Amino acid sequence: MTVNAAAAHHLQLTRDGQLRHFLTLDGLGRALLTDILDTADSFIEVGERTIKKVPLLRGRTVANLFFEPSTRTRSTFELAAKRLSADVLNLDINTSATSKGESLSDTLLNLEAMASDMFVVRHAQSGAAHFIAESVTPGVAIINAGDGRHAHPTQAMLDMLTIRQNKGTFEGLKVAIVGDILHSRVARSQIRALNELGAEQVRVIAPGTLLPRDVESLGCTVEYDMAKGMKDLDVVIMLRLQKERMEGALLPSEREFYRLYGLSQEKLALAHPECIVMHPGPINRGVEIESAVADGPQSVILSQVTNGIAIRMAVMSMAMGGQVAERQQKRSTRKGDQS
Ligand code: CP
């Protein structure tokens, strides 16, 4: 499946620019990304209440379709939907008819027949969420929870929320993303978001074997030497080695990778003293990050997880709002045609 940025733009926005699907950050623009962050900010308080509920999706059905393993994304989408008062259906792919050979399209047709209003989709194929958004019944919102190497837009937005909470602004920030950029949908979405929101510098730090061809065209500079790359950083984002996507030997050994690119206390000391440490998870201690750093005072890794709920509440409520607005627009256009 291939993903065309212009087609994605039209697919995920209504005619008046509201979100109706959330597939990629490509083409969304600073105003809409800021709106998502501001909406998420307003939901943080809901998570601090005794009764963590608002009625925005009451009566709606959200189906979580995770065709790849997930801990954080799946759990926080479920919590987000429940906090919005939706009914939530978690399809267990291992025990569903998919394991008996049913196609993705047929699975979706059946879930549509159960009057689902939203599909949250994680899939190993790049473009899977776009494919579903193109074919789904009008009125059903599709949210991309990570597709192949292509995009993980809610992860990037929860990362942006965490950066804004800690730094106040994106202006003037120097941010580095370190490790397996080649296989990372998270890095692609983060680079897009950081550029759109006005970060001063986005660097990737990695060995050549873990960088995509033409990586600079994504909107970043490249540094192969971690000591040089850490200089003056305000934010360092570590990535997991995605062995499940690696074909052939791209590294001499994990030990060698850790020596050169693992974030130790010594390497972190080369950054700005107030540099924050981020990781989308799952973390592999001693492979890409030292435990003392992951659990240390500069780490905001668990805040990222907490912020995932607010960002997913924001995206789900905004996409549902866009779907409703679009249906109303179509209805009034039809009435206008008849009169
Ligand atoms: N960050 C992230 O996508 O984690 P999970 O794979 O656990 O969802």
Side-chain angles (χ1 to χ4, degrees):
M1 288 179 227
T2 55
V3 181
N4 176 304
H9 176 80
H10 292 301
L11 197 54
Q12 64 184 348
L13 297 180
T14 63
R15 255 182 295 166
D16 61 357
Q18 290 187 62
L19 212 57
R20 60 175 181 161
H21 301 296
F22 193 58
L23 310 173
T24 171
L25 301 183
D26 293 357
L28 290 193
R30 187 182 294 199
L32 186 48
L33 297 192
T34 304
D35 196 13
I36 293 171
L37 295 179
D38 293 344
T39 307
D41 254 340
S42 74
F43 284 131
I44 286 174
E45 170 270 327
V46 176
E48 291 160 359
R49 292 184 201 166
T50 314
I51 297 172
K52 301 175 180 59
K53 289 257 188 217
V54 287
L56 289 169
L57 293 192
R58 189 159 59 199
R60 304 286 188 178
T61 302
V62 174
N64 279 329
L65 312 176
F66 279 66
F67 295 89
E68 265 195 343
S70 167
T71 300
R72 280 144 291 271
T73 311
R74 182 178 165 143
S75 316
T76 52
F77 262 115
E78 181 174 349
L79 278 176
K82 287 179 172 168
R83 287 185 187 177
L84 291 167
S85 308
D87 296 320
V88 183
L89 184 64
N90 287 312
L91 194 75
D92 185 344
I93 299 303
N94 294 322
T95 56
S96 78
T98 311
S99 61
K100 296 185 202 160
E102 185 175 73
S103 72
L104 175 59
S105 302
D106 282 327
T107 302
L108 294 170
L109 282 174
N110 281 272
L111 290 166
E112 282 176 46
M114 298 174 206
S116 298
D117 297 288
M118 185 176 287
F119 294 147
V120 177
V121 183
R122 168 168 290 191
H123 204 283
Q125 281 275 343
S126 295
H130 288 73
F131 169 76
I132 296 167
E134 275 166 353
S135 57
V136 80
T137 306
V140 179
I142 308 302
I143 311 291
N144 185 1
D147 62 326
R149 299 181 189 189
H150 170 243
H152 196 347
T154 58
Q155 176 68 47
M157 290 310 293
L158 72 87
D159 296 333
M160 297 308 112
L161 186 62
T162 309
I163 292 173
R164 196 172 77 165
Q165 274 171 355
N166 283 276
K167 299 293 174 188
T169 176
F170 295 92
E171 305 294 329
L173 286 187
K174 296 182 176 72
V175 182
I177 306 169
V178 185
D180 185 359
I181 312 293
L182 179 64
H183 302 99
S184 177
R185 54 193 173 211
V186 174
R188 282 169 180 76
S189 293
Q190 287 167 334
I191 294 168
R192 170 68 62 180
L194 286 163
N195 278 293
E196 197 60 56
L197 291 166
E200 183 181 312
Q201 275 182 30
V202 184
R203 300 173 199 165
V204 294
I205 308 174
T209 50
L210 292 181
L211 288 169
R213 211 177 301 149
D214 293 334
V215 61
E216 289 97 339
S217 68
L218 298 174
C220 56
T221 57
V222 177
E223 186 54 73
Y224 300 99
D225 179 338
M226 184 130 174
K228 282 190 196 155
M230 291 298 293
K231 196 168 157 14
D232 299 328
L233 279 186
D234 300 295
V235 179
V236 58
I237 304 173
M238 301 306 298
L239 297 177
R240 179 177 69 89
L241 290 176
Q242 305 207 11
K243 285 183 241 163
E244 72 277 16
R245 294 188 216 287
M246 287 187 189
E247 289 157 13
L250 297 176
L251 296 167
S253 68
E254 280 182 4
R255 188 188 294 225
E256 188 64 0
F257 177 80
Y258 180 70
R259 188 177 71 77
L260 293 171
Y261 295 100
L263 188 60
S264 59
Q265 286 175 298
E266 291 73 30
K267 292 198 195 99
L268 181 57
L270 301 170
H272 189 283
E274 287 175 18
C275 177
I276 56 169
V277 175
M278 301 177 69
H279 194 309
I283 63 173
N284 285 314
R285 293 168 187 265
V287 178
E288 71 268 359
I289 191 164
E290 184 185 2
S291 273
V293 174
D295 304 328
Q298 286 164 263
S299 169
V300 294
I301 293 171
L302 292 178
S303 300
Q304 289 172 261
V305 179
T306 307
N307 285 335
I309 304 173
I311 279 290
R312 286 163 180 143
M313 288 173 81
V315 167
M316 291 167 122
S317 56
M318 288 169 75
M320 210 64 255
Q323 293 283 353
V324 170
E326 188 167 64
R327 215 174 310 153
Q328 281 165 352
Q329 269 169 12
K330 278 186 185 153
R331 220 174 286 149
S332 52
T333 310
R334 270 201 305 270
K335 269 191 195 151
D337 289 348
Q338 283 162 6
S339 60

